[in-house]
Each structure stands twice: as structure tokens, then as C-alpha cells.
Amino acid sequence: MMRARQRVFAAVAAAATAMIAGCTSGNVVSRDDTAVPQADEPRIDDADTDPQSRTIETMLARARTDRLAGRLASAEATIEAALRIAPSDARLWLELAQTRFAAGEFANAATLAERAMSLAGDDAGIIETGQRIRAQAAQ
Amino acid sequence: MQRRRVLRLSALSLTAVAVAAVLYGFILSWQATRAFDQRGWDLPARIYAAPLELYPGRRMDAAALISELQRLGYSSSPDAARTGSFERRGTEVALRTRSFDDARGAHPSRRYVLRFDASGIRSIYDETGNSVVIAELDPLPIGSLYPSHGEDRIVLSPNEVPPLLIEGIKSVEDRRFDEHFGVDLRGIARAAWVNLRSGRIEQGGSTMTQQLVRSYFLNQEQTFWRKLREAFMAIALELRKSKDEIAVAYVNEVYLGQDGARAIHGFGLAAQHFFGRPLPELEIHELALLIGQVRGPSWYEPRRFPERARERRDRVLQLMHAADLISDDELQAALQQNIGVTRQSAGGYFAGFLDTVRRQLRDEYDAADLESAGLQIFTTLDPSVQAAAERAVGIELDTLQDGRPRLEAAVVVTTTHDAEIKALIGGRQPGFNRALDAHRPVGSLIKPAVYLAALQSGTVNLASPIADEPIQVQLQNGDIWTPGNFENEQHGEVTVARALVESLNMATVRLGLQIGPDAVADLLERLGLDRRPQPYPSLLLGATDLAPIEVAAVYNTLANDGFNQPLRAVRGVLASDGRLLQRTHISMRQAAAAEDVYALNTALVEVMRSGTGRSVQQKLRAPLTTAGKTGTSDDLRDSWFAGFSGEHLAVVWLGNDDNDPVGLTGATGAGRVWAGLMNALTTRTLVQPQPQGIELAWIDLDTGLITDAACPQAAHLAIRHSDLPLTARGCGSERTRIGSRLRRFLDGSR
């Protein structure tokens, strides 16, 4: 039986938690409403996404492709550059963990998976993949 | 009979002298050749800073980009047509990079167009019109690794030396270079004649080869025997080496200036020092200025004596013209130019950082590997962060040095997520690298480790009570230690958080003894110290000597949610054939549970908000959340500050080499430098990811009660979920304290 004050406290704590968890990247999100696409400019899809997010998405995709194709050194270099831009993005740490795993560095991969999970908030997908990597690395 | 004996003796002694002379000749020849070979262009490894990475979304305006390009020696050029140039057109910047190699392979010169908006880089396009996600610029060369004498050079290979430079040097210094055999008899005769006629030494008559030999063996005294030796060595060198080899060696060796304690040898380094640009990019009038420096680097120093430097340069231009090296038009155009020297030495002399690189490489490689030809070493240094750090030290120490003439400083800056060293300052004077080698008592900087150990034990949380009251500790040798607070105050029962926030010594010792100094020593080792400190009670107040880089290793782990990585200065090494020799990786281990580090850091944020670091936080211009700790050692001998944002960690130490008190606290000394540094950086605010099982609550720092943001002595701190639920009370009211409730619960009472 929660008293009224306890309920208020719990609500405040929950709201605070949600706010903190929501700001994991710590980056300033910007939107540019003033850019008018020029006639000779290639069309940009998702013109509403901020440039940095698009940069990270592209780099993540590129790294993933490289990893799956076995170009591990290139994948790693791309992820490390992406991490310099968004060091709190759990997906990047997870991708790095998978790259190390593919290179046979299991202990490293496990720790990087832990790092990813520590930044994942309540992103179930990342936590699940991270746990899987950790478990596989232990074998 | 007598005469035959005398003759035989004379013959023998003459033979002996002749043999000795020949042997001596071989020795001199060997010395000269060895000195030459050791400095051969193909020996040193080249060291580069981390390359500037441009990407859409980067928070950097056009002016800041231009500034970085200029640091790299890029110049403005219409339509950015030249390699190493840029053009700004309003909110657009076009640039053409120089080609370079790195761990990913060869990068050809590319032209990019960047568009900026209010928040930074909006888009980047290449020549084919494709949008680009990362544009990498050629990295700034920051030095060479010369295992034999450790000096600084930007050593040029023969095909990097502009032919005009060599011909120009010959026309000024040694017109018959290509003909003589090491000494120029005509030149000597002419000089002797001129000197005799004028009654004093006017002309030298030394060839380039002689000058080269002279520069190998530092002593500049020109006695007769010295000159003779030099002449002999020059001849010997000419027998062993080709004219081209000697000319290039000369270009790389000749003394051209002084930058404080650092000697500028070689035209490559001189181009960087005087013009901030690579030698191949210099124009005729700039080459002429450098050539003019050979005859008198102090006398013709262009920043101190611009008139003399210009006159000398113009004389050189005339000589070059007379030798048909430049046309009439080129001569006239060059004469019109200002000397064009930058206001201060660009390219930087990162002595402390280079030292760190050399040591990290020595640990990983054989000296033999490092001496092999043409290695390229890619480091983690960020020249703009280094510049910010040097500027902050310079500005603050200008004031702080009043009455403290021997005040020294050391700084280490890292990016926290990958533990890369972005900047390092070993001291105001080069020589002793205080960042790596000055082990000094850290004082209160140690406290976060004590409090983290306490949180880890599970027996206390940030709201638990602890007595800030006198305590007597019996040491192993039987002495009694009575730690006191700063200004000998005592505060009675306070929260654990407050004891850390206000750096209360007595409470810290009490808490530390409860946990045990062994636990603290163990934790420090796990957090990143190479060796376990002695677990004496005095460890709890920082009576242990650490170098700034060791402090940085520990605090970087705290900034990284408890994940420890060794600090890195090197990213990769490339062999001369482009083969990748080594790449360092991000590699970490979890040193402490994320929940405990998170909680600790909420207290360290409070240190900056309302605690001993608040005067430092107030100096920050941007609304930046930071966590930090001040550190002051006994008698105010050492002033420390360690603090981090969401992106960078900086550790600053101020003190005297002879250990005399500096009369500065962590906040009034090192903290000021730290704030100046952070103000000059573009850095992200600190936002910690909140782990599961942790709640944030407003806690009254005095009573440990839950309150709200309106309460003046409340701090936003983290408490484990398992330590809750509790009854919320108002601000400042007593009774139910979280900590004592927990204790009673653990004791089994209700």
C-alpha cells in the first residue's frame, strides 16, 4: 500500500530515470529547416534526420557490410571513427564487439559487449545480442 | 756508423708518424661517415598527429575549419585548385587535400566542398558530386624519431627537396660544390686574400661539405687544428658519398634557427618553423629567406630582425638570379614580397607528447625495428586540444607565477571513451617530462577511490552518515596519526556524499578505515595503476606519489563507467613499403561495477556544483555538466585538478620541482588551468547512462533525507534501488535517515 507521498516520489524518480535514459548520446540534435535543395544537388532521403545521425547510420552500415565480407580491419577502423563521433551509441560498441569476435578475440569481444549493454538503457535488442556474444565468447 | 743509425732512426720515426697519420686519417674518415649515415634521410621514422575527420553533423563552423586548415599549412587559392589549399565562399568551403598514407592505405589528393549551417557541417561532397560521410585530411607531421640522438627533424628524402633549393644554396654558399673534392682551394685562397686585405675575418671559404661535417661535431671553435680535421673529414666524406647525397644531407642538417630550447636543423623543420608549411610548398622568396639564414641564424632571425632578414633574402635572390636560377620576372616578383614569416612557430613542438610516443614504442618494439627505413607513426594527438592546453597553461601561469618564479605545470588530456591521449604537457621548460615522470603526492585526488571502495562494499551509500570528527590512528610503527581538516574545522555527522563533495579529511579517514586501506589499494590497481600502492592509512588522504599520467589512467576509468583501458599515444605504425606493422585497438576490462561508478560520479558532479570544485565550474563559459575533484597536498606543495566532461578528461598538476610549497589549492591553481582548457575545447556535456537498479534522488547533503530540488543543500545523487524505499521528508528535517534505516534493517532490528 503506497502512501500518496511515496507515489509522488516514485513518479518523480521514474520520470527522472526516463529522462536520463533517454539522453544516452549526450549529443546536441540539430535540425536545419533553412537548407533548400539545389537543382544540381543529389536528392537526400530523410531530409528531416539530422546530419550526424545519418553519418552514424551510414558508417554503421558500412562497417557491418565490411565485417560480413571479412574485411575486419576496415570494419574496425570505420567503427572506431564512428565512436569518436558518438561514443555513447550502444549499437556501435556492439558492432565492434562482433568485429572482435569475428577476429577470434573472444575476451575482448565479451567486454565490448558488456560496454554496449551498459549503454543500452532498456534496448532489449542490444541487450539480447550482447548477452549472446558474451555467452558465445565464454565457450 | 752513427750516421746510419741516425738515418735508420729517422726513417723509423718518419714511418711511425706516417702510419699514425694514416691511421688517424682512417679514424676521421670513419667518424665522418658514421655521423653522416646515422643522420641519413632513410633512418628516422616520421610521426604524425591524429588526422582531422570532417563529417556531416560535426559541430564546427567555417572559421574553425579554416583555422585547422591553416594549422596544416593550407593556403587560400581560387577554387581550391592547388593541393593543400582552400577557398571560402560564404557558408561553403572548398578544399583540396594533400595525398597521404595511413593504416588504411594510400589516400590520394581529393577535393571536397563543405556546406555549413547554424549547427556545423551540413554536408560534404566530393569532385564527382557524391555525398561523403567522412573526409579525412592529411595528418600534421609533428616530429621524427631519431634513435641515435633523439633530436627533432623533419627529414626530407631526395625527391622531396626542391631542386631550386639545392641550386640556390650552392649559389650562395658553395659555388663550386659540384667541382671540388671536399675543400675548395680557390675559395680558401680567395677568402685568405680578402681577409688579409681587410685585416679581419670576412669570408669563411668553407664548402657545404665542411659545413656539414662541422655541424656533426658540435664544437664551433674554429682553431687551426679543428679546421684541418674538418677539411680532412670533408675530403674523406666526398670519397665515400656522392655529391647528391651530401647535398641532401646538408639540406637536412644545417642549423637554421632556434625555437626556445629547441634547435631548428634542416630546411624541412625550418619551413615548418618559419612558414608553417611543408618545404615543397614554399615559394621562391620563402626559399631565399631560409637560404639566407644559413650564414647567421641569430643575426638574420626574421621575427626579431625583419629588416636584416629581408635584406639578406634579397641578396640571396640576386645571387640566385645571377646564377640563372630564377628569371628576371621571378626576381622582381620575389623582391616585392614581404618576408611572410608566421608570427610564431607553427607546427608545434610537442616535446612531452613525442616523449610519450617514443616510450610507448620502445616498450613495443626493438630499437632495430624503429631504426629501419621510413616508418610512419600515427599518433592520437589532437593539435587543437594541445594548443588549447598550452594556451591555458600559458595564460594562467602568467598570473600565478607572480611570487612563484619556478612554478611548473603538467597536463594530460584524453578522450574518455577510447583512452586516447589528445594532449600532453610535460612542463613549461622542455627537458623533464613531469606528466610522465614527476611522481607527487596526490592528496585529495585519491578520495574518489576511497568512496568508490566504500560504495562497492555495499555497507554504505551516498546518504549514509559518517562522522567528520577527530580520529587517532595507530600506525604500524607505533606512531599516532591525527589527520585534520583543511582549516581544522569539524562538521559532526554528515552524509558520505557531503564528505566527498567538501573533501572532509576526518570523515574520509573514518570511512576508509571501515572499508580498509587494502580494499582501496586493490581498487586503485584495478582502476589503472601499474602497481599497487602501499595500503597505509595515510593512503586514504593521498600520501602516495603518482605521476599525472597515472592519475589520468585512474580517472579515465571513472569517466568510462568503470571500464579501464591503458592510455594510448600511438594508433598505428606503417613500414616504409606501406605494410601495416601495428594497430592499437580499443581494449578494455571492467574494473568496477557500473552502478557504483555511476553513483560516485553523481557525487563528483556535485563536487563541481556546490563542493570544492564549484569555483572551477563557475569559470566554465558554456553550460557544461562536468565531474571533478580538487587535490591539494600537505603544506600546499602540489595543486591538482582532475575532471571530465562527456568527452574529455583533463588532469592538471602545478608545483615546484624542488618541492617548495606553491601556496595554491587544487581549485585556485590547477583548477584554473583546467577551466581555461575546457573553455577552449569543443566538448560534450556529461550525461551518464543510468544503469539498472539505480535511482536518482534529491538527497539533503546534511541529513541524508530525501527531499526535492528546491532544498538548498540538496544534491541529485544515485542510490541503489535496493536501499529504497524510504520515507520522504522535507528539507533539513531530521529523523528517518536513509543510511541509518538501512543499518538498522541490516542489524535485524525494525
Side-chain angles (χ1 to χ4, degrees):
Chain A
M1 278 134 300
M2 279 175 117
R3 305 218 317 258
R5 268 205 202 129
Q6 280 180 320
R7 223 179 287 158
V8 167
F9 163 62
V12 167
T17 310
M19 274 184 348
I20 302 290
C23 302
T24 48
S25 75
N27 293 318
V28 173
V29 173
S30 72
R31 294 173 121 258
D32 183 7
D33 298 312
T34 59
V36 176
Q38 308 290 341
D40 56 342
E41 219 180 320
R43 263 193 57 86
I44 302 170
D45 291 328
D46 299 340
D48 281 348
T49 330
D50 70 287
Q52 183 169 304
S53 298
R54 262 181 279 136
T55 297
I56 296 296
E57 295 296 334
T58 309
M59 292 176 82
L60 186 54
R62 195 178 285 179
R64 209 166 262 154
T65 310
D66 277 343
R67 170 173 60 86
L68 295 172
R71 294 184 293 267
L72 298 182
S74 179
E76 191 170 302
T78 305
I79 284 295
E80 287 180 352
L83 279 170
R84 287 193 278 275
I85 301 171
S88 301
D89 192 325
R91 301 169 302 167
L92 299 176
W93 288 102
L94 201 60
E95 182 59 34
L96 187 59
Q98 288 175 314
T99 310
R100 285 297 162 64
F101 190 90
E105 290 173 42
F106 300 119
N108 237 332
T111 319
L112 289 166
E114 290 285 358
R115 189 71 179 109
M117 290 192 282
S118 76
L119 293 163
D122 45 16
D123 184 330
I126 295 185
I127 294 179
E128 194 202 309
T129 315
Q131 285 171 340
R132 201 167 15 97
I133 296 177
R134 193 175 51 187
Q136 286 176 337
Q139 289 158 13
Chain B
M1 262 61 57
Q2 274 285 50
R3 261 181 61 205
R4 231 179 301 172
R5 266 179 81 202
V6 168
L7 274 169
R8 217 183 304 147
L9 266 166
S10 314
L12 270 169
S13 29
L14 273 172
T15 318
V17 169
V19 167
V22 167
L23 273 172
Y24 188 54
F26 274 115
I27 291 175
L28 286 183
S29 169
W30 176 79
Q31 276 183 332
T33 317
R34 194 172 89 107
F36 182 99
D37 287 336
Q38 275 182 341
R39 285 160 173 76
W41 69 268
D42 60 348
L43 275 181
R46 277 191 251 203
I47 307 178
Y48 300 93
L52 187 61
E53 289 169 334
L54 304 172
Y55 54 89
R58 179 164 181 158
R59 279 161 38 203
M60 169 187 245
D61 59 25
L65 173 61
I66 305 280
S67 190
E68 288 305 314
L69 292 175
Q70 285 169 332
R71 190 200 306 282
L72 286 169
Y74 280 48
S75 50
S76 184
S77 158
D79 207 35
R82 272 203 324 256
T83 299
S85 73
F86 63 90
E87 191 193 27
R88 180 170 181 182
R89 292 185 287 236
T91 57
E92 212 175 78
V93 173
L95 65 95
R96 189 180 292 274
T97 65
R98 303 183 184 112
S99 64
F100 65 99
D101 295 324
D102 71 5
R104 301 179 85 155
H107 298 246
S109 164
R110 288 179 75 175
R111 187 175 184 279
Y112 296 108
V113 174
L114 289 84
R115 293 202 182 98
F116 291 83
D117 62 19
S119 46
I121 299 177
R122 165 101 192 133
S123 62
I124 305 178
Y125 289 95
D126 67 13
E127 286 157 295
T128 63
N130 290 326
S131 85
V132 165
V133 134
I134 285 258
E136 260 187 79
L137 267 59
D138 45 297
L140 181 71
I142 58 175
S144 301
L145 189 66
Y146 246 128
S148 60
H149 59 76
E151 277 176 22
D152 219 40
R153 297 277 189 283
I154 294 180
V155 173
L156 303 160
S157 61
N159 52 323
E160 286 170 306
V161 181
L164 182 61
L165 176 66
I166 294 196
E167 296 306 315
I169 295 172
K170 288 181 201 169
S171 71
V172 174
E173 292 293 325
D174 191 357
R175 244 168 285 159
R176 280 173 292 281
F177 176 75
D178 292 315
E179 287 97 45
H180 66 60
F181 55 93
V183 290
D184 181 14
L185 294 174
R186 277 178 63 187
I188 292 177
R190 181 160 186 278
W193 176 244
V194 168
N195 295 340
L196 257 166
R197 280 182 60 189
S198 70
R200 55 196 175 89
I201 307 289
E202 260 196 21
Q203 287 196 7
S206 290
T207 61
M208 280 161 62
T209 321
Q210 283 171 285
Q211 289 179 39
L212 181 62
V213 163
R214 188 179 314 151
S215 77
Y216 286 156
F217 305 103
L218 277 177
N219 197 326
Q220 298 288 344
E221 271 178 53
Q222 290 297 284
T223 64
F224 174 74
W225 289 110
R226 271 237 133 70
K227 287 213 82 133
L228 201 59
R229 262 184 55 180
E230 253 171 40
F232 196 92
M233 280 188 172
I235 297 171
L237 202 58
E238 292 255 1
L239 287 172
R240 310 286 293 273
K241 303 289 174 185
S242 72
K243 288 285 183 188
D244 283 340
E245 286 176 302
I246 293 175
V248 170
Y250 182 93
V251 163
N252 280 320
E253 183 65 27
V254 67
Y255 178 66
L256 291 168
Q258 197 73 23
D259 181 17
R262 169 203 194 197
I264 307 288
H265 284 274
F267 280 83
L269 195 59
Q272 198 68 248
H273 170 63
F274 287 115
F275 299 107
R277 299 202 330 273
L279 184 68
E281 284 180 19
L282 292 192
E283 300 184 29
I284 292 173
H285 66 284
E286 294 166 327
L287 288 178
L289 183 102
L290 293 184
I291 295 174
Q293 296 295 303
V294 172
R295 204 51 82 79
S298 303
W299 184 257
Y300 297 117
E301 211 284 335
R303 291 184 180 115
R304 287 209 313 272
F305 310 110
E307 306 292 316
R308 271 186 215 158
R310 188 178 184 140
E311 273 175 37
R312 176 76 188 141
R313 177 202 74 176
D314 291 350
R315 172 102 184 96
V316 168
L317 284 166
Q318 298 288 359
L319 287 170
M320 287 169 78
H321 179 255
D324 287 328
L325 298 175
I326 55 178
S327 67
D328 295 338
D329 288 339
E330 286 171 325
L331 172 66
Q332 291 312 319
L335 289 170
Q336 304 288 353
Q337 303 286 337
N338 288 325
I339 54 177
V341 165
T342 58
R343 257 187 338 118
Q344 56 188 40
S345 187
Y349 180 42
F350 311 110
F353 182 77
L354 286 175
D355 189 22
T356 315
V357 170
R358 286 185 192 110
R359 292 195 210 186
Q360 289 199 351
L361 289 173
R362 249 199 335 246
D363 289 343
E364 309 263 336
Y365 286 93
D366 291 328
D369 291 337
L370 291 178
E371 281 175 37
S372 67
L375 287 185
Q376 295 188 88
I377 297 166
F378 301 98
T379 70
T380 59
L381 183 83
D382 184 330
S384 63
V385 176
Q386 179 76 23
E390 288 177 1
R391 204 160 165 269
V393 169
I395 291 178
E396 293 304 327
L397 260 63
D398 258 354
T399 332
L400 294 173
Q401 258 180 335
D402 270 344
R404 302 179 185 93
R406 295 178 320 277
L407 187 62
E408 268 295 350
V411 179
V412 179
V413 186
T414 64
T415 33
T416 54
H417 83 279
D418 57 13
E420 285 195 342
I421 300 173
K422 294 289 126 184
L424 190 139
I425 296 179
R428 306 215 72 197
Q429 301 299 327
F432 182 38
N433 190 338
R434 293 161 191 80
L436 302 184
D437 296 327
H439 292 82
R440 305 289 290 232
V442 295
S444 310
L445 277 197
I446 207 90
K447 286 177 178 148
V450 178
Y451 286 78
L452 182 58
L455 292 171
Q456 281 190 319
S457 72
T459 57
V460 294
N461 58 52
L462 288 175
S464 306
I466 187 84
D468 184 48
E469 279 155 11
I471 177 173
Q472 295 191 320
V473 186
Q474 171 131 69
L475 302 174
Q476 251 186 345
N477 59 4
D479 287 349
I480 306 285
W481 177 45
T482 337
N485 277 342
F486 196 65
E487 282 162 16
N488 286 316
E489 302 169 340
Q490 63 184 47
H491 302 84
E493 191 168 84
V494 298
T495 54
V496 163
R498 183 174 168 202
L500 177 57
V501 164
E502 292 182 26
S503 207
L504 304 179
N505 288 340
M506 299 189 284
T508 303
V509 171
R510 282 175 179 274
L511 184 65
L513 290 174
Q514 274 178 32
I515 307 303
D518 277 288
V520 177
D522 287 339
L523 177 59
L524 280 165
E525 201 178 6
R526 275 203 314 277
L527 288 175
L529 286 188
D530 276 335
R531 57 213 155 73
R532 188 176 181 269
Q534 296 284 32
Y536 301 137
S538 53
L539 172 66
L540 303 172
L541 292 187
T544 189
D545 294 348
L546 297 179
I549 196 139
E550 294 177 296
V551 174
V554 169
Y555 274 80
N556 202 73
T557 306
L558 300 180
N560 222 4
D561 308 327
F563 286 87
N564 167 254
Q565 304 179 61
L567 301 190
R568 292 179 296 148
V570 176
R571 271 191 194 166
V573 179
L574 223 57
S576 58
D577 58 5
R579 230 181 348 121
L580 184 62
L581 285 184
Q582 180 223 44
R583 249 192 107 244
T584 58
H585 305 290
I586 296 179
S587 160
M588 49 182 71
R589 57 190 176 102
Q590 189 153 17
E595 302 83 44
D596 298 325
V597 177
Y598 181 81
L600 173 74
N601 287 346
T602 58
L604 293 181
V605 168
E606 191 58 27
V607 167
M608 303 302 286
R609 224 183 56 87
S610 72
T612 56
R614 74 178 173 281
S615 64
V616 177
Q617 178 78 34
Q618 278 158 11
K619 291 193 171 62
L620 295 179
R621 276 196 292 269
L624 199 63
T625 305
T626 64
K629 187 71 193 75
T630 51
T632 316
S633 64
D634 268 355
D635 299 328
L636 305 180
R637 287 174 206 277
D638 302 274
S639 167
W640 290 91
F641 194 88
F644 51 93
S645 66
E647 187 176 354
H648 295 99
L649 161 76
V651 173
V652 179
W653 168 84
L654 301 184
N656 281 327
D657 287 340
D658 56 16
N659 219 5
D660 272 353
V662 289
L664 293 167
T665 63
T668 58
R672 285 175 53 167
V673 175
W674 185 91
L677 202 177
M678 295 306 267
N679 277 336
L681 293 182
T682 307
T683 190
R684 300 185 190 101
T685 193
L686 178 62
V687 179
Q688 288 196 90
Q690 188 168 342
Q692 312 279 25
I694 280 273
E695 307 276 359
L696 279 175
W698 286 99
I699 310 280
D700 182 320
L701 282 173
D702 289 327
T703 63
L705 300 178
I706 304 250
T707 172
D708 56 36
C711 177
Q713 65 261 33
H716 211 198
L717 301 172
I719 306 281
R720 275 182 192 265
H721 186 79
S722 45
D723 288 349
L724 305 167
L726 301 137
T727 319
R729 296 287 180 203
C731 174
S733 50
E734 341 68 55
R735 287 192 301 169
T736 316
R737 297 158 184 256
I738 304 174
S740 48
R741 244 190 155 214
L742 172 65
R743 260 214 317 264
R744 278 186 284 128
F745 175 71
L746 287 175
D747 288 345
S749 57
R750 234 343 241 120

